Amino acid sequence: MKLVSQVIIVVALFFSIWFSLNKIDWMTILKVEKVTRSTEEKLGDMFWEMFEKSGKGIHTSDVMTPLDSMLTRICNSNNIDKKKIKLHLIKSDEINAFALPNNHLVICSELIISSDDEAELAGVISHELAHMQLNHVMKKLVKEVGLSVVISMATGDNNGKIVQETVKLLSSSAYDRKLEMEADIKAVDYLVKAGIDPESFANFMYKMADKEPAGGKHLVWISTHPGSIDRAKYIIDYSKGKSKNAHPILAKSTWDKLKENLKEE
């Protein structure tokens, strides 16, 4: 009987302590959330600075203004705080776009040149925005290089080679299949709400998957995303039955001029 009483007391004590600890806001006390945001901010700014120093950044208004208009439509239609998105354009012969920590969205000039219309480009932009909004960027970073390395880079205790390799990882390797599918589905939702036909996104992947590299152009965005054909198919399936009241963001003349200006960069 005495043993039973002791067990009851221990169990009651355990649940009492557990209930008390559960009431404590450990995230605030340990400042875990703040550290995570601070780390992401430092990493994103540091990674983008590497591109800026390379002299690849394009800042002219005749190309940035149309891109900003596209981003604004997608963000405003989907309640995404556009002010937090840092849009960048770089001169590159890679058909690519990628997200860096702290909402840095980087678009390569060749991606725009290789897109037949604005809807194809909008699909890729929406996909990368989805990675940002779903917190995939930091998940990928921690998974690939480890939390200790991530924190080390953010605190400045690192060497240039590690930073360079990490930037390369983010810009030229795929997320796992689960995260890619999540981003694809979210991108379709973004496109539909923004009045952009999501089938153009699928068509872009079909087109790029069948295209042979030529003229020094590297199909990075497609080649690093596994199962492009399968992804195109489920994007089309998921978009069936959804409203497709598509209306252009840019006038065709503006789109054509954008591509022409980039070819001359």
Side-chain angles (χ1 to χ4, degrees):
M1 189 68 178
K2 183 178 180 180
L3 180 60
V4 174
S5 298
Q6 289 176 337
V7 170
I8 293 174
I9 291 172
V10 169
V11 171
L13 184 61
F14 168 79
F15 280 106
S16 176
I17 294 172
W18 177 83
F19 180 78
S20 299
L21 291 175
N22 205 40
K23 289 290 185 180
I24 298 174
D25 186 356
W26 292 107
M27 293 295 284
T28 299
I29 292 174
L30 298 177
K31 298 182 180 179
V32 172
E33 210 170 310
K34 184 177 180 181
V35 170
T36 301
R37 284 198 299 269
S38 176
T39 298
E40 184 171 355
E41 288 172 5
K42 290 178 181 177
L43 287 175
D45 295 344
M46 179 176 62
F47 292 159
W48 169 245
E49 188 178 344
M50 289 190 65
F51 287 101
E52 276 284 72
K53 287 181 177 178
S54 71
K56 293 182 177 180
I58 300 175
H59 306 285
T60 51
S61 60
D62 57 350
V63 293
M64 291 306 297
T65 299
L67 288 180
D68 188 71
S69 296
M70 294 180 65
L71 180 63
T72 298
R73 162 83 76 82
I74 297 168
C75 288
N76 289 351
S77 302
N78 290 279
N79 296 317
I80 298 172
D81 189 350
K82 195 251 182 182
K83 293 179 181 178
K84 292 184 178 180
I85 309 299
K86 302 166 184 66
L87 176 64
H88 307 292
L89 177 63
I90 60 174
K91 178 67 176 176
S92 174
D93 63 0
E94 291 184 348
I95 300 176
N96 197 16
F98 51 92
L100 298 175
N102 197 27
N103 297 315
H104 287 271
L105 172 59
V106 184
I107 300 174
C108 294
S109 57
E110 193 59 45
L111 171 65
I112 300 172
I113 294 171
S114 298
S115 297
D116 288 337
D117 53 47
E118 64 172 25
E120 290 187 354
L121 176 61
V124 177
I125 290 175
S126 295
H127 177 89
E128 297 304 326
L129 281 175
H131 278 315
M132 294 178 182
Q133 297 299 300
L134 296 170
N135 197 33
H136 289 174
V137 183
M138 290 303 291
K139 286 180 181 178
K140 174 182 178 179
L141 200 54
V142 170
K143 178 182 178 181
E144 297 292 339
V145 305
L147 182 59
S148 61
V149 175
V150 169
I151 294 174
S152 175
M153 285 189 292
T155 56
D157 182 19
N158 58 77
N159 60 55
K161 186 173 181 180
I162 293 176
V163 175
Q164 289 176 357
E165 288 300 316
T166 304
V167 171
K168 183 178 179 182
L169 172 73
L170 289 174
S171 64
S172 61
S173 65
Y175 293 81
D176 64 42
R177 192 173 297 274
K178 178 177 179 291
L179 298 187
E180 289 293 7
M181 186 172 187
E182 286 180 5
D184 285 336
I185 296 302
K186 180 65 73 174
V188 171
D189 292 336
Y190 287 166
L191 292 167
V192 170
K193 289 181 180 179
I196 303 168
D197 189 350
E199 287 194 20
S200 291
F201 179 33
N203 291 338
F204 175 79
M205 287 197 284
Y206 276 130
K207 181 182 70 178
M208 291 293 107
D210 292 338
K211 191 173 182 180
E212 290 295 327
K217 300 174 183 178
H218 308 292
L219 308 179
V220 178
W221 199 85
I222 291 296
S223 64
T224 61
H225 289 57
S228 296
I229 301 300
D230 290 338
R231 290 172 61 215
K233 289 178 180 177
Y234 69 62
I235 285 172
I236 291 176
D237 288 342
Y238 181 72
S239 64
K240 285 179 180 176
K242 297 186 182 296
S243 173
K244 294 180 183 174
N245 183 25
H247 46 288
I249 303 172
L250 306 175
K252 187 177 185 305
S253 58
T254 303
W255 171 255
D256 292 341
K257 185 64 176 176
L258 169 61
K259 296 179 66 170
E260 182 183 328
N261 288 335
L262 286 176
K263 290 176 182 178
E264 294 174 355
E265 283 285 343

